[in-house]
Amino acid sequence: MITNTRSDRVKQVRALGRRSAREKAGLFLVEGRQAVRELIRFAPETIRDLYLDAEATERHPDLREMALSWQRDAEPDERRFVHDCSAQVLAEMCDTEQPQGIIAVARPVDRALDEVLAGSPKFVVVLTNVRDPGNAGTVIRGADATGADAVIVSDSSVDIYNPKVVRSTVGSLWHLPICRGAAIEDIFARCRDAGLTLHAADGVGTTLLPDVELSTPHAWVMGNEAWGLEPEVREACDDVVRVPIYGAAESLNLAMAATVCLYASAGAQH
């Protein structure tokens, strides 16, 4: 039982809330029951440590057993550890103000750009200059729900291992290929090499979403929450598409617009 809130272990886990610490350690923080459940189900080999307080152990014995079962079956050099800790220790390690009593420390799962575009993808989403963690995580979740083949996050966007991004994906981070850190110019070049049409999603678009051909391979390019896509990014795309507004709303936020576009793609592809 870990009870010392000032221990080096606790400080190291807490530090993973900072990008510099994540990059130095090659690790990130996973908080909450559902996110940890999906991590154990889909990427247990990436788990370094799992921490539970007494209440979480009592309320979610299945999670503990899932982790222990994998730990027992793993090769010796792949084994991770399940740790019991006090509620105070867990709260100290968490990024949230109201932790759910369970967190994990895991290794990154992102893939190279060429890898996520291999295999003739039907549709993907590209995020450029997306800075809000909640929006980025929600778009990843929407891409998962709609069956997108990949999410590509440019080097100018928020870190996908930011704790708020991870929480917002609610486990979708482990369900589909994700690439991070590439320059937008390289992303566009590789997408074209993969045969994808580039659709810029922007409120200034002259093409309406219902009029776009989405049955052929394509990529949705989504921009910044406040100012949308930069002119040069829009110009580099094949067309600029806007979601029609039929009511009095001024606009849709990024996550809502992305979800609408992605479901249109899913409908055309299926």
Side-chain angles (χ1 to χ4, degrees):
M1 171 71 73
I2 302 172
T3 59
N4 183 2
T5 59
R6 298 184 179 182
S7 70
D8 289 341
R9 177 190 292 271
V10 172
K11 292 177 182 178
Q12 290 166 3
V13 175
R14 177 71 179 185
L16 296 176
R18 303 193 304 270
R19 185 168 189 166
S20 59
R22 292 193 296 273
E23 292 178 348
K24 182 178 180 180
L27 299 165
F28 69 103
L29 188 62
V30 182
E31 300 181 62
R33 177 186 56 81
Q34 186 60 27
V36 171
R37 181 187 299 278
E38 298 308 287
L39 170 62
I40 296 171
R41 289 181 62 200
F42 288 90
E45 71 283 356
T46 68
I47 302 172
R48 196 190 75 170
D49 294 293
L50 179 67
Y51 300 93
L52 303 95
D53 65 19
E55 183 178 356
T57 297
E58 182 177 350
R59 294 180 62 185
H60 309 297
D62 58 321
L63 291 182
R64 182 184 181 87
E65 183 52 38
M66 284 169 62
L68 289 173
S69 176
W70 180 84
Q71 182 174 287
R72 287 192 295 267
D73 294 338
E75 295 297 325
D77 61 347
E78 293 180 340
R79 287 181 181 163
R80 303 296 176 260
F81 298 95
V82 179
H83 306 280
D84 296 309
C85 63
S86 67
Q88 292 78 14
V89 162
L90 193 129
E92 185 65 26
M93 291 191 291
C94 281
D95 179 71
T96 55
E97 293 183 3
Q98 296 181 323
Q100 297 179 24
I102 180 169
I103 62 172
V105 174
R107 294 192 301 272
V109 292
D110 53 285
R111 306 183 190 180
L113 182 57
D114 287 341
E115 183 181 355
V116 302
L117 291 174
S120 302
K122 294 180 179 179
F123 68 100
V124 304
V125 58
V126 176
L127 300 182
T128 178
N129 269 319
V130 173
R131 306 294 177 82
D132 181 82
N135 273 331
T138 303
V139 173
I140 292 172
R141 188 179 181 186
D144 178 21
T146 56
D149 292 292
V151 177
I152 303 170
V153 184
S154 76
D155 57 0
S156 61
S157 296
V158 64
D159 179 19
I160 63 170
Y161 298 116
N162 177 303
K164 293 180 181 178
V165 176
V166 177
R167 289 197 301 273
S168 296
T169 71
V170 199
S172 290
L173 189 65
W174 297 281
H175 295 171
L176 76 168
I178 299 177
C179 170
R180 62 168 177 155
I184 194 65
E185 296 84 1
D186 293 337
I187 294 171
F188 282 5
R190 297 296 188 277
C191 283
R192 292 194 188 283
D193 290 344
L196 300 177
T197 300
L198 299 175
H199 298 305
D202 197 283
V204 302
T206 55
T207 303
L208 293 179
L209 178 60
D211 299 327
V212 182
E213 173 56 64
L214 297 175
S215 62
T216 55
H218 59 276
W220 282 109
V221 182
M222 307 284 173
N224 182 269
E225 297 85 348
W227 61 79
L229 291 167
E230 300 95 326
E232 60 270 23
V233 172
R234 288 200 301 268
E235 292 169 6
C237 293
D238 295 295
D239 59 5
V240 183
V241 181
R242 64 184 171 92
V243 177
I245 303 289
Y246 299 111
E250 185 271 333
S251 63
L252 298 177
N253 70 20
L254 168 65
M256 293 175 65
T259 301
V260 170
C261 292
L262 288 167
Y263 266 105
S265 293
Q269 294 288 339
H270 295 93

